[in-house]
Amino acid sequence: MNEKEIAAAAANSSEGLISRRDGLKLVAAGMAVSLLPQTSRSETLGESVQSPHSERKREPMSSYIKVGQENSTPIELYYEDHGSGSPVVLIHGWPLNGASWEKQTASLLAAGHRVITYDRRGFGRSSKPAVGYNYDTFAADLDAVLNTLKLTDVSLAGFSMGTGEVTRYIGKYGAKRVRKAVLIGTLGPYLVKTPDNPEGVDRSVFEGLKAALKADRPATLMEFLRNFYNYDVTGGKLVSERVLEDNWNVAVGASAIGTLACVDAWIEDFRQDIARNTVPTLILHGDADRILPPDAASRRQAKMIKNARFVELKGGPHGVLWTHAEQINSELVKFLA
C-alpha cells in the first residue's frame, strides 16, 4: 500500500469514528447533570503512599497516589503538581480528567500558585476499578491526595462533579486544611425531587440517562458534550469541533462501569455537608447551563453558604472552563489572592 492509499484509509477510519456522534438525546427537562454513583465501597483503603509501579512509564512532574486495593490490583490516582506558592487543588467534572483545567492551570501558575490536578478514579490516567463511585469514597480519595502531598492552607476548586468532592470533603473532614473553596457549575445542594426538596428533578431523568449510557455510551457521551457546551449556539465561536472530539476521546477512554455509576453519585444529598462549609467560597455558574441549570443548583446553594460570593456568567453553558475561560480565570485569581 502506497502513502496515498494509507492516508485515504486513515481518513475513512476517522470519518467512521466521528460519525458516531449522532446519538441519544440526553437533556430531559433541562437536566442531565455532569458528573459519579453509589456503589459499595468494598475496596480496602490502604495507607496513602505513592506507588512505585516501576513497570509504568512515569512522566516528568507527575506521579500516582495509592488510595486503595481491588483484589490483586492497586487503586491509584494520577496527579500533576506544578509551581510554588499558595496551593490550589483542581477537581474535574464528568466525563473528563484533570487536563480539562488547562486554561485555569496556566493562569493560576502565572499568578504564583502551586497547582495540583488529579484524575478521579475511573477517569483519565487513574486506575479504573469496579468499586468506589460514591462521594464518601471520592472525598476519601481527595483526603489521601492532601495527606500524601502534606497540603495545608489549601484552596479546593471543583467543577461540576468535582464540586461534590469539595462539598463532601468539608462536610466529612472539616475545614482545618482548607483556606478557600471554589464551586464552578455546582451540582448541589440536592438534585432529586422529594417532598422536602420540591425544586429537584424527577428521578426518572437520571434513570433515562443511565439507560442511554447502557444502550450506546459513545453516542450518548457525544450528545452530552454538545449540550455541555451549548454547541448549537457556541460552536465555531466559543468552542471548536476539535475540542468536542478531544473531550469525546477522553470520555470514551474512561471506565464504562465508573461512567455509568457516576450518575447515582450526582443525586446524593449534600445539604448537611453544605451547612458545615464556613470557609470563603466562590460560586461561578453559566446562566445558560443546560446540564445543571442554576435554578436547580447554584442559586440555591449560594443562599445556604454564609460566606459565599456568587457570580453568574452571561450566556455561559455548562462548559465555562473553556468557553468563558478569561472570566473564570479573572475571578479565580482575584478570589484566591
Side-chain angles (χ1 to χ4, degrees), residues 7 10 14 48 96 107 162 172 180 187 193 206 213 231 257 268 273 296 302:
S14 177
S48 302
L96 304 176
S107 181
K172 187 173 181 180
K180 293 182 178 181
L187 61 77
K193 182 180 290 185
F206 305 99
L213 287 167
Y231 192 74
I257 292 173
E268 291 186 28
D273 302 297

Side-chain angles (χ1 to χ4, degrees), residues 315-328:
H318 192 60
V320 289
L321 295 185
W322 187 276
T323 63
H324 290 61
E326 288 189 12
Q327 290 173 265
I328 293 286

Side-chain angles (χ1 to χ4, degrees), residues 18-40:
I18 295 171
S19 68
R20 302 182 71 177
R21 290 185 220 127
D22 297 326
L24 307 168
K25 284 288 181 182
L26 271 198
V27 180
M31 279 297 303
V33 213
S34 95
L35 337 197
L36 292 181
Q38 188 104 260
T39 77
S40 150

Side-chain angles (χ1 to χ4, degrees), residues 163-182:
T163 64
E165 270 98 334
V166 175
T167 301
R168 180 59 53 82
Y169 175 84
I170 292 174
K172 187 173 181 180
Y173 295 93
K176 60 185 178 183
R177 289 182 180 270
V178 184
R179 174 174 169 258
K180 293 182 178 181
V182 180

Side-chain angles (χ1 to χ4, degrees), residues 94-107:
W94 181 96
L96 304 176
N97 61 11
S100 60
W101 290 97
E102 66 173 89
K103 292 180 180 288
Q104 289 68 47
T105 296
S107 181

Side-chain angles (χ1 to χ4, degrees), residues 30-312:
M31 279 297 303
V33 213
S34 95
L35 337 197
L36 292 181
Q38 188 104 260
T39 77
S40 150
R41 186 179 179 184
S42 59
E43 81 268 20
T44 302
L45 288 179
E47 183 181 358
S48 302
V49 294
Q50 295 185 15
S51 170
H53 254 195
S54 58
E55 75 279 6
R56 179 184 295 163
K57 182 179 179 181
R58 303 294 185 169
E59 297 182 8
M61 302 294 290
S62 68
S63 195
Y64 292 80
I65 293 172
K66 183 178 178 181
V67 294
Q69 186 83 16
E70 183 185 25
N71 298 334
S72 61
T73 307
I75 301 172
E76 296 180 308
L77 303 183
Y78 170 83
Y79 75 97
E80 296 188 10
D81 185 355
H82 303 286
S84 59
S86 178
V88 183
V89 176
L90 305 176
I91 310 165
H92 67 86
W94 181 96
L96 304 176
N97 61 11
S100 60
W101 290 97
E102 66 173 89
K103 292 180 180 288
Q104 289 68 47
T105 296
S107 181
L108 290 169
L109 287 172
H113 289 279
R114 177 183 176 186
V115 182
I116 298 98
T117 59
Y118 70 92
D119 296 349
R120 181 181 292 106
R121 64 169 63 209
F123 295 82
R125 282 176 272 188
S126 289
S127 299
K128 297 174 174 58
V131 294
Y133 297 100
N134 59 79
Y135 273 107
D136 281 349
T137 304
F138 299 147
D141 288 351
L142 172 57
D143 188 55
V145 171
L146 300 183
N147 278 304
T148 301
L149 301 183
K150 297 179 172 58
L151 296 174
T152 57
D153 202 28
V154 63
S155 295
L156 301 178
F159 167 69
S160 195
M161 181 168 183
T163 64
E165 270 98 334
V166 175
T167 301
R168 180 59 53 82
Y169 175 84
I170 292 174
K172 187 173 181 180
Y173 295 93
K176 60 185 178 183
R177 289 182 180 270
V178 184
R179 174 174 169 258
K180 293 182 178 181
V182 180
L183 309 173
I184 305 173
T186 185
L187 61 77
Y190 184 32
L191 292 175
V192 180
K193 182 180 290 185
T194 59
D196 69 339
N197 191 50
E199 303 95 334
V201 179
D202 193 271
R203 189 178 293 271
S204 64
V205 171
F206 305 99
E207 294 302 319
L209 174 54
K210 289 196 293 183
L213 287 167
K214 290 177 183 178
D216 192 336
R217 184 173 62 99
T220 299
L221 289 171
M222 178 54 80
E223 190 62 26
F224 174 85
L225 289 169
R226 289 183 175 278
N227 286 301
F228 185 91
Y229 288 113
N230 294 4
Y231 192 74
D232 55 317
V233 176
T234 63
K237 301 171 185 175
L238 299 178
V239 65
S240 69
E241 191 172 358
R242 300 288 86 80
V243 171
L244 282 187
E245 292 170 3
D246 177 68
N247 285 184
W248 183 83
N249 285 329
V250 172
V252 295
S255 163
I257 292 173
T259 299
L260 178 64
C262 290
V263 180
D264 288 331
W266 304 343
I267 56 179
E268 291 186 28
D269 190 342
F270 294 96
R271 289 175 291 184
Q272 291 186 3
D273 302 297
I274 292 169
R276 298 186 178 103
N277 181 1
T278 58
V279 302
T281 301
L282 173 65
I283 301 176
L284 302 170
H285 209 117
D287 67 3
D289 191 328
R290 297 174 185 174
I291 304 301
L292 287 167
D295 274 343
S298 58
R299 289 172 185 162
R300 296 175 59 200
Q301 189 156 346
K303 295 176 182 178
M304 299 172 68
I305 301 174
K306 294 180 180 179
N307 198 2
R309 167 174 164 74
F310 179 37
V311 179
E312 289 194 10

